[in-house]
Amino acid sequence: MSSASPASLVFPPGFTFGTATASYQIEGAYDEDGRGPSIWDTFSHTPGRTEGGATGDVACDHYHRYPEDVELLSRLGVDSYRYSIAWSRIQPQGTGAVNEKGLDFYDRLTDSLLAAGISPAVTLYHWDLPQALEDRGGWRVRETAEHFAEYTRVVVDRLGDRVGRWITLNEPFCSSFVGYAEGRHAPGVRAGTPALAAAHHLLLAHGHAVQVLREAGAREVGITLNLDRIEAASSSPADQAALRRAETLHNEVWTEPLFAGRYPTGEAETWGTLADGSYRRDGDLDIIGAPLDFVGLNFYRPLTVADAPHREADLSLRTAMDIGVVETDPYGTRHTTMGWPVVPEAFTDLLVDLDKRYPNLPPVYITENGSAEADTVSADGSVHDADRVTYLQDHLRALVGAIDAGVDVRGYYCWSMLDNFEWARGYGQRFGIVRVDYDTQERTPKDSYHWFRELIAAHRAAHPATEQEH
Ligand code: FCB
């Protein structure tokens, strides 16, 4: 299949290749070695919340099998591995007492990565808030941002001598709007103003964590966002206005405070009186907008939106905060098993537009990109995931397009290293470049793994003199 030849994709010297995972999605060992419960334990154990009642109790058993997983990463030849820390392993109550055994686990993982020549990229928060903090209001309350700073200090004190790249939060859009407005993710709340407060407190938590990381001398500090490439279903004034509201909800809530030092201008049009600002204080913008070394972006698929005239009645709206927007699907393309349309050129457009819009945009890492496919195991035990290979190849080509257009992209982390617990969608959605048999925990590298390995090897061969990271 010459069209899929990795050598045809050319990246700048020093470009980082990696894979990504998240603690609750792979670790399992949910009640071992002093780990406290997180909102995802509570949510997944509540009947009806996840497909098939799936939980992360065992997941990929990575907590015990990490040496094998690091070996797989090593054979893949990645420069870097992005993993997240489970806050409730470190502080079972979310604040105060520190669980040494939790820190020891991440110590071991980090050391094995370094021994394999792989540079760690740590996400401090990938959605698994300690349940004890949720019981005190979770992200709806400001104190949680302060607790996050305290937790960050504990982690950087232990790992800061070996971890260079730090990501404060993963996709705060999901933590706030999917968790507290739509209720499709933990903690499963459907609210209005409290979800906006959660978004603000997440940003504040990020700002506090940046300060703590800087004080600790961290080399590279950033945040990961799932900004969306959004288009209007038509040029009608109503759909164009819906587009602006969707831009506020999905993108500007994050990009304006982080990169332009202000709150989004379209708040009133989007949320009306729900955005009452009661959760903001003077000085917050200065904390939130502290300069970053990079922004991490996760990209999977674009969105198209239309005006939803029957607001209150329309249950297809994504959030309980009715913004009068409905998603449409005009894409006559293949869709992954998530139901997401495959539109690689939207990836280029998102990056190029963002770069134009924010002159202060820091360098970009793609911290997630990948596809869920209906993989099958062949008689000889291999997994020929041709659709995933094509997805990765086309998105990497789209990324090269953005780099050629002048966007400063420094690296790409494929989602995901392993098949894993895909949140409310359970184990049916397989995103891994390595298959996990959940009965035996056997790992099988798929064709996409081999393809990605060749891509990385070809990049190295093209830039032999380049110092890789670490
Ligand atoms: C992102 C999440 C990640 C994974 C992918 C498919 O939104 O950050 O954990 O679930 O989607």
Side-chain angles (χ1 to χ4, degrees), residues 25 126-127 170-171 174 298 300 340 368 415 422-423 431:
Q25 295 180 276
H126 200 123
W127 305 356
N170 177 71
E171 300 191 0
C174 293
N298 296 348
Y300 291 94
W340 294 345
E368 288 179 26
W415 183 273
E422 179 44 36
W423 310 111
F431 274 94

Side-chain angles (χ1 to χ4, degrees), residues 161-247:
D161 57 336
R162 282 154 293 153
V163 173
R165 185 167 302 145
W166 295 89
I167 296 164
T168 55
L169 305 177
N170 177 71
E171 300 191 0
F173 171 86
C174 293
S175 305
S176 50
F177 296 117
V178 185
Y180 288 93
E182 193 181 353
R184 190 164 48 83
H185 279 180
V189 174
R190 288 182 66 85
T193 305
L196 289 163
H200 183 69
H201 296 140
L202 279 151
L203 281 169
L204 199 57
H206 156 80
H208 285 320
V210 170
Q211 199 180 335
V212 170
L213 290 162
R214 294 278 182 231
E215 283 162 12
R219 183 159 54 83
E220 269 185 290
V221 179
I223 184 171
T224 281
L225 305 172
N226 54 326
L227 301 180
D228 277 303
R229 167 75 183 168
I230 318 178
E231 277 176 313
S234 82
S235 57
S236 75
D239 285 349
Q240 293 296 319
L243 170 63
R244 286 194 293 280
R245 296 195 295 276
E247 285 280 357

Side-chain angles (χ1 to χ4, degrees), residues 67-219:
E68 183 184 349
D69 295 336
V70 172
E71 174 61 30
L72 281 164
L73 284 163
S74 169
R75 295 214 307 265
L76 182 59
V78 284
D79 306 296
S80 178
Y81 172 57
R82 174 181 178 229
Y83 54 106
S84 82
I85 308 253
W87 187 343
S88 69
R89 276 197 202 285
I90 308 302
Q91 290 179 296
Q93 297 300 311
T95 177
V98 171
N99 175 34
E100 288 298 322
K101 286 188 171 167
L103 282 170
D104 291 345
F105 168 67
Y106 295 107
D107 237 359
R108 294 194 295 275
L109 173 60
T110 303
D111 284 345
S112 340
L113 290 166
L114 289 169
I118 299 165
S119 167
V122 164
T123 307
L124 285 160
Y125 184 73
H126 200 123
W127 305 356
D128 40 1
L129 186 72
Q131 180 62 42
L133 291 185
E134 178 57 26
D135 296 343
R136 294 157 73 163
W139 290 111
R140 284 163 289 205
V141 302
R142 195 175 174 94
E143 289 71 34
T144 302
E146 282 143 31
H147 297 318
F148 186 67
E150 178 195 328
Y151 154 70
T152 300
R153 163 76 61 202
V154 173
V155 176
V156 74
D157 277 354
R158 178 62 86 91
L159 300 179
D161 57 336
R162 282 154 293 153
V163 173
R165 185 167 302 145
W166 295 89
I167 296 164
T168 55
L169 305 177
N170 177 71
E171 300 191 0
F173 171 86
C174 293
S175 305
S176 50
F177 296 117
V178 185
Y180 288 93
E182 193 181 353
R184 190 164 48 83
H185 279 180
V189 174
R190 288 182 66 85
T193 305
L196 289 163
H200 183 69
H201 296 140
L202 279 151
L203 281 169
L204 199 57
H206 156 80
H208 285 320
V210 170
Q211 199 180 335
V212 170
L213 290 162
R214 294 278 182 231
E215 283 162 12
R219 183 159 54 83

